[in-house]
Amino acid sequence: MNGPRPPHYPELYHPLIPEFIRVFELEAGKFSDPIVGRLVPQAIDGEPYEAVSYVWGDTRKRHDITIDGATLSITENLHGALTAFRHRAPSGSSSSDSSGTGTEPAQRQVRRLWADAVCINQDDLAERTSQVELMARIFAGARRVLAWLGWEEGEADHRHLLAAIRFIHVFMEDPEAGLRDARILLHHHDLGDPTAHLALFSEDDRRRFEEQSRKWEAVKVFFEIEYFHRTWIVQELGLAREAIMCAALKPADEAEARDQVFELDLVDWRLVGQFVTFLDYSAASLVTHLGLLAWVAHHILMVWETREDGTPNCDFLTAMHWTRILGVTDARDRVYSLLGHPLAVIDGDPIIKPDYTLTRGVIYTKLAAHFIRRTKNLYVVNLVDHEDDPLLQARNWDPQDEGRMPSWVPDWHSINRTTPLEYPVPAAEAEDTEIQIDGDTEGVEGSPLPHLLLRGWVVDEISAVSRRMETTDFPVTNLTRERAKKNPFWLDRLWDLAFPAEGSADRDALAVLETLSLALPLGTRGEDEPVSTAGAHQSLEEHRRSFAAYVLEYHELWRGASEASGINNDDDNCYLPARSLYDSLPAEAQAELRRRAEGVTGEGFIECMTWSSMCRVVYRTTSGLVGMGSRVTQPGDLVCRVRGSPVLMTLRRIDDSGIGRVTATQAGTNATLISCAFIGPTVVPARVKKDVLDGGDFDEKAAQFRIV
């Protein structure tokens, strides 16, 4: 929505009355003709119009257009969209004539469009704010949303946008068959010379490999274009009655443009949505292996998912979490760009109103505090995903520090790399009426940042932490790829942490292994339990079988490598662990894994745990518990059970000097006061039991937490 301020705006804007917008009536023209049109004020629910969804692009590359006889400078990307859309109206996958309207002729004299950089006076802060409040209605009320992906240029064999659009149409005719064809890339791809290994293929396999490589390279480029990584498109696509994605081959010169039939390549957003959803839930290993960013587009869909009764399946806070990976010019728009979400209200009141005078830290804190106070739960806190270690000190508000906020507030503008941590069995009561926010959330300069006062129990202290898990570590492929991973033989190394060779003789290896296996995919789902939004899910029996197969597949890869070269510490073989997970187990546990794995593969487990484990760590506590948590987790952090949070928390002790004391009434007579910073949500399957919501049942230590 918002780009850097243009160098000059002419005096062509007149004040808008409430509930009014401007529509740009764009005159028809050929490719090289100037862009000419006029602005027409109208009620937001007045005459029909189409809304343009696009990326501002490089604001230094600009073109002039003429509006009502005056000159307006717009970005090159919007100029391209207007050039393409005035030529011919797109038709989507729904039945329509060549104009895409069903009634109007293909060549219209005027096309009525709404585009933010043209229809909003960007120099008027008051108008920008008021129009942002109408943005959801603007896109929901448009007869169609036209999503401009950009011009395609270059040689015929490098026109990736057009190739991807055509491939998606064909693939979705039979996605299961398309996925079977694509798996040749997963099993045969090499990281070295891309042609060296083709000599080992049959002629037919070589042809299939090269064909699939070309197709999926186009898909990879398609989802890497800037359009799919822009925050405002979430609302623009999600609220559209119909959204058509458009790209076009750019004529090489004006002479060619005059002689050539100008055509748009189109794909319905709904079909793209079906494509990325299928990949996320059925082909996570392929997505991560090829480095596809299709999952980013899937996040957009997840924001607007509904249940069978039509009610929203995704709440506003989770929508914020799914979209924080997207780019935005103004960090405050991460909130404002989603105000069209049906759950952006609580009890009929808007959760927040646009205010561009406050810092993002204040806005995010006010939003988090609002939800905590109104819901009496800590769900918003468990969406924190620190990019770096939080500061371990109490601080004051500073309007010069855009990102200053408490450790318990999600910084929606930081890079998100994790899915929400949902576990099917709650660890504590979902609500607590005694949750307190102590301090100022208005951002008054020099006043202390607010602290969160919570009640709960300390589960244990963390003693050892793994390296961060990467999605590319998970698939079992071949030694060449294994050696190139950041964490080669990652499962065997996790097991060394969870069940070290020294000091684990008195522990049940199979029980510890099952705890680890349940932590990675965030548990399993029964028929009567909620489905996770983190990806695919299995029943407990399916999970045990596919995980056993996964362990054996990794063992076979390890055994082949160790038999070929031996285990030693030289540079060539240091990527090999000293033992495999399977070899470390007692004979009866090995036999049980072989029994479970019979007739299945590890593919199901990989699909279930890929997104939930992405960019998290595994840890062991002082008493030997195994859990999975935030990437910034460190030894010494506390695993805690907290009232009002269905998932466990990781907290880090801080020096509480200078922090106001909690009263005895707040703390409780038998509770220890702990001042701490919030690190992130966590899961320890061994300490989560159905219908057990009180840490006292596990003999855990009661505590009062003051979180800075």
Side-chain angles (χ1 to χ4, degrees), residues 297-526:
H298 188 207
H299 282 194
I300 299 170
L301 292 168
M302 294 164 74
V303 168
W304 305 100
E305 284 180 347
T306 57
R307 302 184 180 94
E308 290 184 2
D309 62 1
T311 59
N313 188 52
C314 180
D315 63 277
F316 184 83
L317 293 173
T318 306
M320 288 280 292
H321 187 85
W322 288 132
T323 58
R324 63 191 282 186
I325 192 66
L326 303 176
V328 67
T329 302
D330 190 321
R332 295 165 292 194
D333 285 335
R334 294 199 178 280
V335 181
Y336 303 154
S337 66
L338 288 176
L339 292 181
H341 192 276
L343 296 184
V345 295
I346 298 181
D347 297 332
D349 297 325
I351 56 170
I352 202 166
K353 284 185 172 292
D355 186 344
Y356 288 99
T357 67
L358 302 175
T359 67
R360 86 168 191 264
V362 174
I363 291 168
Y364 295 174
T365 301
K366 288 168 67 71
L367 181 69
H370 181 76
F371 271 94
I372 291 171
R373 286 168 173 152
R374 297 295 290 267
T375 64
K376 306 301 180 184
N377 71 55
L378 299 167
Y379 178 66
V380 64
V381 177
N382 286 310
L383 293 177
V384 169
D385 180 26
H386 290 300
E387 194 171 352
D388 301 298
D389 289 331
L391 290 176
L392 303 182
Q393 62 186 43
R395 296 188 295 171
N396 297 333
W397 283 115
D398 179 359
Q400 303 305 313
D401 185 349
E402 178 71 24
R404 180 160 296 193
M405 65 194 79
S407 69
W408 50 271
V409 173
D411 184 356
W412 308 110
H413 199 51
S414 69
I415 299 175
N416 166 45
R417 301 183 188 278
T418 60
T419 61
L421 197 157
E422 298 176 309
Y423 202 73
V425 181
E429 293 286 354
E431 296 181 8
D432 182 15
T433 58
E434 295 190 33
I435 294 172
Q436 297 183 46
I437 298 173
D438 181 19
D440 168 40
T441 61
E442 298 300 321
V444 177
E445 184 174 4
S447 62
L449 267 66
H451 299 164
L452 196 58
L453 305 180
L454 309 175
R455 305 181 300 157
W457 302 264
V458 175
V459 176
D460 206 349
E461 182 175 319
I462 293 171
S463 60
V465 179
S466 75
R467 295 180 63 182
R468 191 178 79 180
M469 295 181 284
E470 307 288 346
T471 54
T472 52
D473 295 334
F474 304 149
V476 185
T477 54
N478 55 55
L479 288 177
T480 300
R481 290 201 65 85
E482 196 67 38
R483 190 168 185 169
K485 293 177 179 179
K486 290 186 177 180
N487 301 311
F489 291 95
W490 76 285
L491 185 61
D492 301 304
R493 298 183 189 279
L494 286 188
W495 183 243
D496 274 341
L497 180 141
F499 200 82
E502 301 295 331
S504 298
D506 60 341
R507 301 168 69 198
D508 183 337
L510 199 57
V512 176
L513 185 61
E514 179 143 313
T515 297
L516 174 62
S517 77
L518 289 173
L520 294 170
L522 300 180
T524 61
R525 266 62 182 183

